[in-house]
Amino acid sequence: MFSVNTNTDNGFNTILLQDEAAGTSVAIIPSCGAVLHAFTVLHNGNLLNVIDGYDNEADFKTNVTAKGFKSCKLSPFACRINNATYNFNKKDYTIQKFLLNGSALHGLLYDVPFTVLKTWAGENSAGLSLLHQYTGTDKGSPFTYDCEVQYELKTANALTITTTIINKEKHEIPVQDGWHPYFTFGGAIDELQLEFQSKEILEFNDVLIPTGKLLPYEEFGSLEKLGATEFDNCFTINFAECQPLCVLRDKAQKIQLEIYPDKSYPYLQIYTPPHRKSIAIENLSAAPDAFNNGMGLITLAPESSAHFTTTYKITSLP
């Protein structure tokens, strides 16, 4: 049986989706950017949270950017906008909210409050639907739109997350969507194995902006130890391969994360932070700097919507 409950944890007001029979739970914090705070499974008799989250509410509010935007919703753009500027429909815009080395980073909704639209629970799933109504407050994105985020915990430790963007303007707007979860199995990532299905890596310049070139890429097409590999890269996803299209495995603990993006997320960004205690594996609807290079950018018509869906699954291995 599944259930939905509220909880207070280290100053966070969380909503818990629970599979009571399996011992699986998902914690979401609506007031802090609708972040995925925890995804906890029962493994070998112990509870294991695979999400690298925040210590408490003060930690989130103070360090969400310094700690790499962990678990944040990336909207209306993801990753970087070069020089924080872009041109849309023959007009120039400059993002104001957060800049690093001259580039705008990770959108405008990463720390905003979301409201709860509805919750539900039944025999096979529990879910939560959240809403933020963006009113064009940043001069660099004066476009009104709704961002709805739906979390649904299902059987077999599967969590499906769907984002819906609804254009509330009377003209078209530019849209990119992404997620920024950091995954951990409790130790250093060097001993973990990684696999993802891609034939191409985006060439970046020295400030991590795509040059427009796609280069052949053949590594990590099957499970391979991470070792000292450093990532801050974006890849195209090869949907010709079978799902899951990305796997992160802890061979020693016999457990793995599986990622099942649908075709609304054709890019995969991977980042290994210097502490190497977790790894960011990010589903993206478009490439970094898409507002300038157009790689995957969606131009959303008035009063129309776009949907983006991915599923995370935690599997214990024999």
Side-chain angles (χ1 to χ4, degrees):
M1 188 67 179
F2 286 76
S3 63
V4 179
N5 297 285
T6 58
N7 188 33
T8 301
D9 179 21
N10 291 321
F12 288 126
N13 292 318
T14 62
I15 295 181
L16 295 176
L17 310 180
Q18 296 176 293
D19 180 348
E20 296 176 359
T24 305
S25 66
V26 170
I28 300 110
I29 308 174
S31 64
C32 298
V35 296
L36 174 61
H37 181 55
F39 186 2
T40 304
V41 297
L42 184 62
H43 177 67
N44 292 336
N46 298 306
L47 291 174
L48 176 65
N49 174 24
V50 303
I51 299 297
D52 182 5
Y54 300 90
D55 297 335
N56 48 51
E57 185 180 27
D59 182 34
F60 176 87
K61 292 185 179 300
T62 303
N63 299 315
V64 61
T65 57
K67 289 191 171 183
F69 301 82
K70 294 188 295 187
S71 288
C72 290
K73 169 85 279 178
L74 309 183
S75 178
F77 66 90
C79 299
R80 287 167 169 78
I81 293 182
N82 191 28
N83 295 321
T85 62
Y86 64 98
N87 183 282
F88 183 70
N89 283 346
K90 299 181 180 181
K91 184 175 181 180
D92 292 329
Y93 298 93
T94 301
I95 297 293
Q96 308 291 313
K97 185 165 184 175
F98 182 83
L99 307 184
L100 182 67
N101 299 326
S103 292
L105 257 63
H106 294 324
L108 304 173
L109 304 191
Y110 57 82
D111 60 351
V112 301
F114 280 68
T115 58
V116 177
L117 290 179
K118 64 177 180 178
T119 63
W120 66 93
E123 292 186 4
N124 298 309
S125 71
L128 166 68
S129 182
L130 302 166
L131 171 67
H132 180 80
Q133 295 177 303
Y134 175 71
T135 56
T137 50
D138 192 292
K139 292 180 180 179
S141 183
F143 311 119
T144 303
Y145 71 93
D146 288 354
C147 178
E148 296 182 8
V149 177
Q150 178 179 290
Y151 287 93
E152 186 171 19
L153 178 62
K154 305 175 184 178
T155 57
N157 299 337
L159 174 64
T160 295
I161 307 175
T162 299
T163 300
T164 300
I165 302 298
I166 306 167
N167 181 5
K168 307 302 287 187
E169 295 284 357
K170 295 180 180 180
H171 54 78
E172 60 188 16
I173 64 172
V175 169
Q176 180 188 15
D177 191 79
W179 279 106
H180 208 270
Y182 285 60
F183 296 101
T184 177
F185 291 115
I189 63 173
D190 300 50
E191 299 301 315
L192 302 182
Q193 295 176 316
L194 177 67
E195 172 185 348
F196 58 94
Q197 300 306 319
S198 174
K199 292 183 178 180
E200 300 166 321
I201 185 172
L202 278 66
E203 181 183 69
F204 283 171
N205 65 16
D206 58 355
V207 290
L208 302 177
I209 299 297
T211 66
K213 293 182 180 179
L214 296 175
L215 305 177
Y217 188 84
E218 297 181 353
E219 297 181 53
F220 293 96
S222 57
L223 282 168
E224 183 177 334
K225 184 179 175 180
L226 269 168
T229 302
E230 295 182 3
F231 282 111
D232 199 348
N233 304 96
C234 187
F235 306 87
T236 61
I237 290 179
N238 182 13
F239 284 101
E241 298 291 337
C242 295
Q243 295 268 19
L245 293 173
C246 181
V247 175
L248 181 68
R249 176 178 292 182
D250 187 327
K251 186 177 179 181
Q253 293 194 76
K254 296 184 177 181
I255 191 170
Q256 68 184 26
L257 162 75
E258 301 162 7
I259 303 179
Y260 300 77
D262 74 5
K263 291 185 178 180
S264 59
Y265 284 129
Y267 294 90
L268 193 71
Q269 180 92 4
I270 302 177
Y271 170 62
T272 50
H275 58 69
R276 300 190 70 81
K277 296 178 181 178
S278 58
I279 180 172
I281 305 177
E282 312 160 36
N283 290 123
L284 305 177
S285 70
D289 200 33
F291 277 39
N292 285 308
N293 59 42
M295 298 174 66
L297 183 67
I298 293 173
T299 300
L300 195 59
E303 297 298 331
S304 63
S305 60
H307 307 275
F308 310 93
T309 300
T310 192
T311 296
Y312 307 131
K313 185 178 180 181
I314 308 300
T315 300
S316 295
L317 305 172

